[in-house]
C-alpha cells in the first residue's frame, strides 16, 4: 500500500509549483510585491475651538475632536511612532456658519490658528487641509446653495479665499474635496498669483456620493440640511467618468489624485494608477474604519490583522498614500 502511494506521487509531474515561493518567511519576504509602511499613511484629525477638549466620536471609536492644547501631545506621540502626515478637519460652532462659509477665511478662524501653531512647533510634519464649504456652511453643502441648487462658479470664488487663507497659515498640501468643476485650476491660479507656488494640491478627484461618510459627518456635524450630494459627487456606478475627472485635475495642475472611498473602489484606484503618472492616493473613509472597529469590539474580527490587510489591499491596488483613521494604531503596531 505504502509503495503504491509513493509510486503514484512520484508520477505526478509538475514543473511549476507556486508554493515553493511561499515555503518559508525569508523567501516569502523576498518575493513580496507590495509594501506598507507608516510613511504611506496620512492621519485625519478633527479639531474644535476651545480648551481641554478630547471628545470621542460615537460612530468612530478611538477618534476624537481635539482642542489645540490636547492635540499638541497627541501629535508629539504620533511623531514618536514615525507618523508625520496629518489631514485636519474643523468642527465649527453652528453660530459661525452662514450661506457663504465666510468663517473659513476669517482672521479669527481657529483652524487657521491651529495650522500656524502646529507648523511652528513641529516643523518636520506635513499638514494637509480640507477645501470645501461644508463645515462652515449653514446648508451643510460643499458648495454655495442658491434656490436649492449647488452653484459651481460662485463656489470657486469662496474656495479660492479659503485656500489662500490656508496657504497663508502655512499648509503644505491643499485637499479640495468639494467636487466643483474647474476647482483645481482655479485654486492653482490663486496660489501661484500669490506666490504660493510651493503649496501642493492633492485633489479629491474621484470622490463618490457614498454612504460611508456617515461617522465623519457626525464628527463635524456637517450633514447636508437638505438633499444629498449627488449633483457634485460621483455616481458609485461609474468608473470611466473617473478617468475624465482625473484628466481634468491632472491638466489643471493637481500634484496627486485621490480616490474616495477606498475599499469599495479599489478598481478605480487601479485604473488611475495605470493611466496617470502622478501619485495616486486613497481615502480609507470613516465608515470603512467604523465597520472594522465595530466588528473587532464584538470579537468578530481581529483588529490589527484586518486593518493591515485592508491598507495593504489599497497599496496593492495602486495607492501611493492612504488617508486612514487606522494610521496611529498601525504606526504603534509597527513600532512594537
Ligand atoms: C467634506 C468631506 C467629507 C469627507 C471628507 N471631506 C464628507 C462629505 O463629502 O460629505 C469624508 C471623509 C470620511 O468619511 O472619512 N467635503
Amino acid at each position: 500500500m505504502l509503495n503504491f502511494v509513493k509510486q503514484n506521487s512520484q508520477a505526478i509531474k509538475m514543473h511549476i509549483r507556486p508554493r515553493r515561493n511561499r515555503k518559508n518567511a525569508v523567501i516569502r519576504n523576498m518575493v513580496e510585491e507590495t509594501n506598507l509602511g507608516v510613511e504611506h499613511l496620512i492621519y485625519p484629525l478633527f479639531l474644535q475651538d476651545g480648551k481641554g477638549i478630547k471628545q470621542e466620536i460615537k460612530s468612530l471609536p478611538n477618534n476624537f475632536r481635539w482642542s489645540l492644547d490636547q492635540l499638541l501631545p497627541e501629535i508629539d506621540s504620533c511623531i514618536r511612532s514615525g507618523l508625520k502626515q496629518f489631514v485636519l478637519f474643523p468642527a465649527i460652532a453652528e453660530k459661525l456658519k452662514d450661506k457663504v462659509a465666510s468663517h473659513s477665511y476669517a482672521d479669527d478662524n481657529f483652524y487657521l490658528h491651529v495650522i500656524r501653531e502646529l507648523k511652528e512647533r513641529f516643523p518636520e510634519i506635513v499638514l494637509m487641509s480640507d477645501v470645501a464649504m461644508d463645515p462652515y456652511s449653514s446648508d451643510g453643502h460643499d458648495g454655495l446653495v442658491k434656490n436649492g441648487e449647488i452653484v459651481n462658479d460662485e463656489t470657486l470664488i469662496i474656495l479660492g479665499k479659503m485656500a489662500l487663507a490656508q496657504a497663508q497659515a502655512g499648509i503644505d498640501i491643499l485637499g479640495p474635496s468639494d467636487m466643483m468643476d474647474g476647482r483645481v485650476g482655479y485654486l492653482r491660479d490663486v496660489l501661484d498669483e500669490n506666490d504660493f507656488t510651493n503649496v501642493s494640491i492633492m485633489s479629491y478627484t474621484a470622490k463618490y456620493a457614498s454612504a460611508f461618510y456617515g461617522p465623519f459627518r457626525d464628527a463635524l456635524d456637517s450633514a447636508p440640511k437638505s438633499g444629498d450630494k449627488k449633483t457634485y459627487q460621483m455616481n458609485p456606478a461609474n468608473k470611466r467618468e473617473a478617468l475624465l475627472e482625473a484628466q481634468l485635475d491632472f491638466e489643471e495642475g493637481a500634484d496627486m489624485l485621490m480616490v474616495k472611498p477606498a475599499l469599495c473602489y479599489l478598481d478605480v484606484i487601479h485604473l488611475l494608477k495605470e493611466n496617470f503618472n502622478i501619485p495616486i492616493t486613497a481615502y480609507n473613509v470613516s465608515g470603512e474604519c467604523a465597520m472594522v472597529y465595530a466588528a473587532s469590539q464584538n470579537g468578530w474580527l481581529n483588529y490589527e490583522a484586518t486593518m493591515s490587510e485592508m491598507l495593504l489591499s489599497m497599496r496593492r491596488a495602486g495607492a501611493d498614500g492612504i488617508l486612514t483613521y487606522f494610521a496611529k494604531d498601525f504606526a504603534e503596531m509597527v513600532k512594537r
Side-chain angles (χ1 to χ4, degrees):
M1 193 58 192
L2 203 74
N3 252 348
F4 172 76
V5 170
K6 200 177 164 203
Q7 260 179 5
N8 214 22
S9 81
Q10 275 173 345
I12 297 173
K13 283 200 173 144
M14 248 188 283
H15 290 134
I16 300 174
R17 289 178 181 270
R19 287 187 54 190
R20 279 195 288 264
N21 286 342
R22 301 178 205 136
K23 70 182 161 196
N24 64 46
V26 176
I27 292 181
R28 284 196 297 274
N29 284 339
M30 184 182 77
V31 299
E32 193 163 88
E33 296 175 40
T34 309
N35 65 334
L36 168 67
V38 63
E39 68 273 23
H40 302 121
L41 306 182
I42 305 169
Y43 191 26
L45 296 166
F46 302 110
L47 312 178
Q48 191 179 333
D49 199 8
K51 269 212 170 90
I53 301 164
K54 180 183 175 185
Q55 188 193 338
E56 188 165 36
I57 294 142
K58 276 207 182 71
S59 51
L60 201 59
N62 213 20
N63 286 267
F64 304 86
R65 282 188 186 187
W66 303 92
S67 57
L68 177 61
D69 58 319
Q70 301 290 304
L71 183 65
L72 293 174
E74 174 69 4
I75 298 267
D76 200 50
S77 105
C78 288
I79 294 173
R80 276 185 276 113
S81 298
L83 183 58
K84 294 180 191 160
Q85 315 187 75
F86 306 91
V87 53
L88 307 176
F89 297 99
I92 303 293
E94 206 58 39
K95 62 175 192 296
L96 293 172
K97 300 183 183 181
D98 61 19
K99 295 254 346 151
V100 294
S102 58
H103 193 64
S104 63
Y105 48 88
D107 282 341
D108 61 347
N109 177 346
F110 77 97
Y111 182 71
L112 302 172
H113 173 66
V114 170
I115 294 171
R116 270 195 197 93
E117 282 285 312
L118 293 183
K119 287 300 291 181
E120 201 175 295
R121 287 177 193 241
F122 308 104
E124 72 269 44
I125 63 177
V126 166
L127 289 184
M128 176 173 159
S129 68
D130 190 53
V131 183
M133 286 175 60
D134 54 330
Y136 304 96
S137 154
S138 46
D139 293 306
H141 274 287
D142 296 17
L144 180 63
V145 183
K146 274 192 165 174
N147 303 320
E149 201 183 303
I150 288 67
V151 293
N152 196 87
D153 299 13
E154 285 170 72
T155 298
L156 297 188
I157 295 166
I158 297 168
L159 297 179
K161 292 181 190 174
M162 188 186 310
L164 182 59
Q166 293 172 355
Q168 285 164 342
I171 205 77
D172 298 290
I173 304 174
L174 291 180
S177 69
D178 54 289
M179 289 302 276
M180 296 300 117
D181 293 336
R183 76 263 162 81
V184 172
Y186 185 85
L187 296 181
R188 189 69 265 165
D189 281 343
V190 167
L191 290 174
D192 292 352
E193 280 160 16
N194 288 279
D195 287 333
F196 289 111
T197 52
N198 265 340
V199 173
S200 316
I201 298 179
M202 182 195 292
S203 168
Y204 288 61
T205 293
K207 177 173 178 180
Y208 288 88
S210 167
F212 286 94
Y213 307 151
F216 176 96
R217 293 177 189 171
D218 288 345
L220 298 189
D221 251 331
S222 64
K225 300 280 160 53
S226 68
D228 53 40
K229 298 191 173 185
K230 290 180 183 168
T231 67
Y232 45 108
Q233 298 180 350
M234 279 180 59
N235 180 347
N238 293 357
K239 182 158 82 167
R240 291 171 61 244
E241 192 182 359
L243 285 173
L244 172 63
E245 288 286 357
Q247 184 189 335
L248 291 170
D249 286 3
F250 177 75
E251 287 170 2
E252 290 174 28
D255 300 284
M256 305 180 203
L257 303 175
M258 186 206 295
V259 175
K260 173 185 175 189
L263 202 57
C264 294
Y265 299 86
L266 296 176
D267 55 336
V268 181
I269 297 172
H270 181 246
L271 184 70
L272 296 199
K273 184 61 169 247
E274 297 281 289
N275 285 282
F276 291 90
N277 294 324
I278 55 175
I280 305 299
T281 58
Y283 198 144
N284 177 208
V285 298
S286 56
E288 300 173 326
C289 297
M291 295 192 299
V292 178
Y293 293 133
S296 48
Q297 280 178 354
N298 268 301
W300 297 341
L301 288 173
N302 177 303
Y303 175 59
E304 291 190 343
T306 324
M307 62 106 158
S308 308
E309 187 175 332
M310 268 193 186
L311 297 173
L312 188 70
S313 77
M314 293 161 200
R315 289 274 301 148
R316 193 188 62 238
D320 295 289
I322 304 169
L323 292 79
T324 177
Y325 302 90
F326 297 142
K328 190 176 182 213
D329 288 340
F330 183 86
E332 288 181 346
M333 183 185 86
V334 170
K335 211 174 133 196
R336 283 200 312 268

